[in-house]
Each structure stands twice: as structure tokens, then as C-alpha cells.
Amino acid sequence: GDGSTFLQLGSSIEQQINGMFKVMEEYNWDSFVVVTSLYPGYDTYVDYIRSFIDTSYFLWELQDILTFDMSADGMNDLRARRLLQQIDAQVLLVYCSHDEAQYLFSMARDVGLVGPGYIWFTPSLAVGNPNMPPPDSFPVGLISIITDRWKMSLRNRVRDGVAIVVKGVESFRKQRGFIPDGHMDCQSPVRPSANDTLY
């Protein structure tokens, strides 16, 4: 988004959501719930879904949007279970990290939202490494959009990844006039200060 310095390597969230909706349309899964954590970008995910369904010719029914903290904690567990028990849809679109997805699916299993009849869609960031077996908490019926780049050799992936990062840094410097410090995290806004060196 505007002002963001977050670099995502892979298909964009918008592209992944478009893929999810194509599958949902194919099977007439028109009624769904959105479940998100507070992971950076969750509001963009929700905004894009709303925009997509508002401009689509297909009649979508967004039943609810549930956003909550997905870290293991006694209070979080109670709230998560309570919110998940309210879900009456069989199709769920999720946005969270890989670790948060494990927590979410454990809570969902406890309230009976995992198993035959439930379809879960997640972006690739929730899946983690596609070369590793999924965690036991991940349900059967989980659908995610993952690019086929994982089929490339490690050497080619590293080469392409370095080229993308270099191109991204070059574009950032051209647009903003500086390169942010490398020890910042993606949850902290980056703003040039008087001490920043302009390149």
C-alpha cells in the first residue's frame, strides 16, 4: 500500500484472492466468511475482498468478517472459540501467518469447523514451505494459491530472488530518495529522518 516498505516475493494478495474467487465461482460457493488475524496487511485483504465482490457480476454473500488475535493465550482461546462458534458458512477465507494458521485450525477443530463440508481458503503466506508436510492442525479441504516457482532449482530461485530485491531497492531509492536501514521490521513505518543519508 501507499507508504509501505514491505516487499512480498510471490504473487500478490490481489492475485491470490482473484484465484480463490475463481474456484469459488466454479463450484457456486457464493456464501462465505472472512477470518483474519492482525497480521500486517489484513485490512488490505479485507478491503480487496469487499471491492472484488462489489464490482463482480456474480452475487456473493459475505456473511461476516472476524478479526482477532491468533496467538495461544487463555483469553485469546476463549474469544477465538466464541467467535468461531458464530460461523454459519461452509466456506472460509483466511488471512494470517503460518503459525497463526496452526492456532486457528486447532481452535476451529475444537468448535467443529473442520471436516467434511468445510472449505478453507488461505493465501500462500499461511501455508509456509510447500516442500514440507503441512502441520497436523491443517484441515483436509484447505485450498491455497501457490505459484509454481518452488519447482525451480534452488540456484535459480536464489538468483531471481536477489535480482528482485535489488530491483526493489533501486525502485524504492528512485521514488523515495533514500534506502531504509536494513535492521527495521515490516511492522514499523519507515520515514526518513534528518540523520538518514540520501543516495
Side-chain angles (χ1 to χ4, degrees), residues 32-36 42 46-47 49-50 62-67 83:
F32 63 96
V33 168
V34 173
V35 180
T36 77
Y42 77 93
V46 170
D47 289 346
I49 288 174
R50 284 190 171 148
L62 173 54
Q63 290 187 7
D64 205 355
I65 298 171
L66 305 175
T67 300
L83 288 170

Side-chain angles (χ1 to χ4, degrees), residues 4-101:
S4 172
T5 56
F6 183 75
L7 176 64
Q8 177 177 329
L9 302 177
S11 57
S12 70
I13 289 299
E14 290 85 358
Q15 291 168 327
Q16 293 180 58
I17 291 171
N18 286 339
M20 293 173 191
F21 276 100
K22 285 186 186 303
V23 172
M24 290 165 60
E25 185 177 336
E26 180 70 26
Y27 290 97
N28 289 319
W29 295 332
D30 56 348
S31 182
F32 63 96
V33 168
V34 173
V35 180
T36 77
S37 69
L38 300 170
Y39 192 78
Y42 77 93
D43 48 350
T44 303
Y45 182 82
V46 170
D47 289 346
Y48 189 80
I49 288 174
R50 284 190 171 148
S51 172
F52 184 92
I53 63 176
D54 286 346
T55 58
S56 175
Y57 68 90
F58 196 83
L59 297 176
W60 299 103
E61 181 191 355
L62 173 54
Q63 290 187 7
D64 205 355
I65 298 171
L66 305 175
T67 300
F68 56 93
D69 186 355
M70 293 184 191
S71 54
D73 170 312
M75 291 303 293
N76 288 342
D77 293 358
L78 290 172
R79 183 164 191 260
R81 282 191 186 94
R82 187 174 46 81
L83 288 170
L84 292 171
Q85 286 171 335
Q86 298 173 14
I87 294 176
D88 192 31
Q90 292 182 298
V91 178
L92 302 99
L93 275 62
V94 174
Y95 182 85
C96 62
S97 71
H98 180 67
D99 292 338
E100 291 170 330

Side-chain angles (χ1 to χ4, degrees), residues 89-157:
Q90 292 182 298
V91 178
L92 302 99
L93 275 62
V94 174
Y95 182 85
C96 62
S97 71
H98 180 67
D99 292 338
E100 291 170 330
Q102 293 177 64
Y103 172 81
L104 171 64
F105 294 135
S106 294
M107 294 292 107
R109 186 174 314 278
D110 290 349
V111 299
L113 290 176
V114 172
Y118 291 99
I119 308 297
W120 293 81
F121 285 90
T122 63
S124 58
L125 67 101
V127 173
N129 184 348
N131 294 324
M132 301 290 291
D136 292 337
S137 61
F138 278 39
V140 173
L142 175 66
I143 299 172
S144 187
I145 309 296
I146 301 176
T147 61
D148 63 356
R149 307 242 345 136
W150 60 273
K151 293 180 182 176
M152 295 172 58
S153 72
L154 178 60
R155 181 184 184 97
N156 288 341
R157 284 186 282 166

